[in-house]
Amino acid sequence: MSKLKTFKKKLLYRSNYRGTKEMDLLLSNFVKKYINKFDEEQLKELDKFLNFEDNVIFNFYYYGQIENNIEKNMISKIFKKYSI
């Protein structure tokens, strides 16, 4: 298995098992939709984005609260426009 394929599986897993059902659904659907469209650099940014805690991502997505430089991540801009 290639490194890229393994990395994508890791990202899918991390997006699917977050700790709260709401974030599991939101992030896993987002990642499933875009993972094969992202280039390697974008996948690295997605990895960084998934490192943010659920409450940081939740507050960013639903309330527009910006913490921990989340707005500097290109993936966050795509995520902010995403809807299930």
Side-chain angles (χ1 to χ4, degrees):
M1 187 178 303
S2 74
K3 283 185 176 183
L4 187 59
K5 192 170 186 177
T6 302
F7 187 50
K8 285 181 178 182
K9 284 187 174 199
K10 175 186 165 190
L11 294 173
L12 280 168
Y13 181 84
R14 287 179 56 213
S15 70
N16 211 11
Y17 297 98
R18 298 294 301 185
T20 63
K21 267 299 190 209
E22 295 83 3
M23 292 309 293
D24 290 350
L25 289 170
L26 181 60
L27 286 172
S28 66
N29 285 321
F30 171 74
V31 171
K32 286 175 190 172
K33 180 176 181 174
Y34 289 103
I35 197 161
N36 291 317
K37 297 176 183 176
F38 291 155
D39 62 25
E40 195 169 344
E41 190 59 37
Q42 290 169 319
L43 291 172
K44 289 177 185 177
E45 287 187 17
L46 177 60
D47 184 43
K48 290 177 187 175
F49 183 76
L50 291 174
N51 282 331
F52 290 112
E53 294 178 18
D54 282 0
N55 64 322
V56 172
I57 296 172
F58 181 89
N59 288 333
F60 170 72
Y61 185 77
Y62 288 103
Y63 305 114
Q65 293 178 357
I66 298 170
E67 303 175 37
N68 302 325
N69 295 323
I70 199 168
E71 82 282 2
K72 294 182 181 177
N73 189 316
M74 189 194 101
I75 298 301
S76 67
K77 293 176 185 175
I78 297 169
F79 178 71
K80 184 67 176 158
K81 295 176 185 174
Y82 173 74
S83 63
I84 296 178

